[in-house]
Amino acid sequence: KIAMAAQMTDAHRRFLQVLMSHGIMEGSVARKLYRRCCEIHKVYYAHDKLDDFIRTINSHLQPLFMQIRKGLSESDGRAHYALVNLAETEITKMASDYAENELELFRKTMDLIIFSENGFASSTDILNLADQLQTKKMKKKEAEQLLKVFVEDKWLSERDGEYTLHTRCIIEMEQYILSNYQDVARKCNICHSLAIQSQMCESCGIVMHLPCVRKYFRAQTEPRCPQCNDCWPFD
């Protein structure tokens, strides 16, 4: 334990503090922050050792049931780092920030997104749920405002009136989603992380993230499923 404690420097602490204030950080930003923290505190820096640097922080976070986790954006495949509370794997971790009916709307929004074919739910469908809440009904104006807050807090992402789960949400809630949506939740066949926005093989049922599809089929003239070798039916 004494040896472990010696590994944790002020550079590690600064990195953790900045990540905590952001909640989630894109990979290139995390790499710049890692370099800056090492420079400020005169700690050895190696450009390809960010994951080792984070591993040291995680060894100290373990007793606190917290961890910095790496995940990929479903839209562009870029790496992100998020600080995750391991002690609470359910949506209850959001309970300190939101009222009961706000959490219910989030759960119902999550249902719409996960059960959809493309991993998105329209604002119209979400707002229609506002006056059907069991806990306390919500006016559409309130629901509209709440959706903005979910986006600001990085639980949802919005594009042209369509909502999906933010990368932060997927990293934090992956185990919750996999255990609570067992019939529909799937892992990507390529990167093996939860796939919400994905394409599915019509023959064998495997799914792949869109960036993983692009990467996997880049060198193939005739795209075929990596599992069953049938023709891949999508662009």
Side-chain angles (χ1 to χ4, degrees):
K1 279 185 179 176
I2 291 167
M4 274 175 57
Q7 292 172 9
M8 186 82 165
T9 68
D10 286 339
H12 294 93
R13 292 184 192 95
R14 181 182 288 264
F15 183 94
L16 178 59
Q17 284 171 347
V18 176
L19 181 60
M20 282 172 74
S21 69
H22 285 74
I24 187 167
M25 196 174 279
E26 203 259 314
S28 61
V29 178
R31 285 190 291 276
K32 284 177 190 165
L33 174 63
Y34 159 53
R35 181 175 187 164
R36 184 81 184 113
C37 290
C38 290
E39 285 170 353
I40 290 170
H41 296 286
K42 297 177 173 55
V43 169
Y44 171 72
Y45 165 77
H47 71 92
D48 58 347
K49 296 293 183 190
L50 173 60
D51 286 350
D52 289 344
F53 184 83
I54 287 172
R55 212 169 285 125
T56 299
I57 299 172
N58 281 341
S59 70
H60 288 260
L61 290 176
Q62 200 175 353
L64 306 172
F65 301 103
M66 299 194 82
Q67 187 181 72
I68 298 172
R69 276 197 187 155
K70 187 178 182 178
L72 301 178
S73 161
E74 293 201 312
S75 58
D76 58 22
R78 288 181 184 172
H80 286 70
Y81 293 87
L83 187 64
V84 176
N85 184 341
L86 302 175
E88 302 170 20
T89 53
E90 298 185 19
I91 291 178
T92 48
K93 69 171 69 182
M94 297 169 68
S96 57
D97 297 322
Y98 304 103
E100 221 175 321
N101 63 335
E102 294 174 338
L103 283 180
E104 188 186 351
L105 186 66
F106 182 81
R107 282 193 192 93
K108 287 181 181 295
T109 301
M110 192 182 256
D111 287 347
L112 286 176
I113 291 167
I114 292 170
F115 285 104
S116 71
E117 284 187 12
N118 63 354
F120 283 87
S122 72
S123 57
T124 307
D125 287 344
I126 298 169
L127 295 176
N128 284 340
L129 298 169
D131 58 1
Q132 299 170 29
L133 301 177
Q134 302 293 313
T135 45
K136 184 189 173 188
K137 290 179 173 53
M138 201 181 284
K139 290 175 182 168
K140 285 198 175 174
K141 274 276 177 227
E142 291 175 280
E144 278 175 2
Q145 193 53 44
L146 181 60
L147 284 177
K148 285 181 186 172
V149 174
F150 285 146
V151 170
E152 283 166 15
D153 291 349
K154 300 184 177 76
W155 294 113
L156 296 177
S157 293
E158 185 266 339
R159 192 174 67 205
D160 301 325
E162 298 275 314
Y163 290 82
T164 189
L165 302 183
H166 193 282
T167 307
R168 175 198 178 181
C169 181
I170 292 172
I171 294 173
E172 290 222 23
M173 303 279 190
E174 181 169 12
Q175 290 313 311
Y176 172 85
I177 292 168
L178 287 169
S179 58
N180 285 272
Y181 297 89
Q182 288 179 12
D183 295 340
V184 287
R186 296 282 182 274
K187 285 190 175 187
C188 173
N189 190 260
I190 303 299
C191 71
H192 308 295
S193 57
L194 177 66
I196 303 294
Q197 297 173 51
S198 59
Q199 291 179 351
M200 180 188 283
C201 175
E202 292 172 354
S203 301
C204 69
I206 66 146
V207 298
M208 292 196 284
H209 287 122
L210 307 187
C212 293
V213 165
R214 283 195 290 272
K215 211 177 285 182
Y216 183 77
F217 291 137
R218 192 175 287 155
Q220 297 184 27
T221 49
E222 191 186 1
R224 290 189 170 274
C225 174
Q227 181 89 355
C228 68
N229 208 37
D230 266 18
C231 281
W232 196 256
F234 305 99
D235 290 337

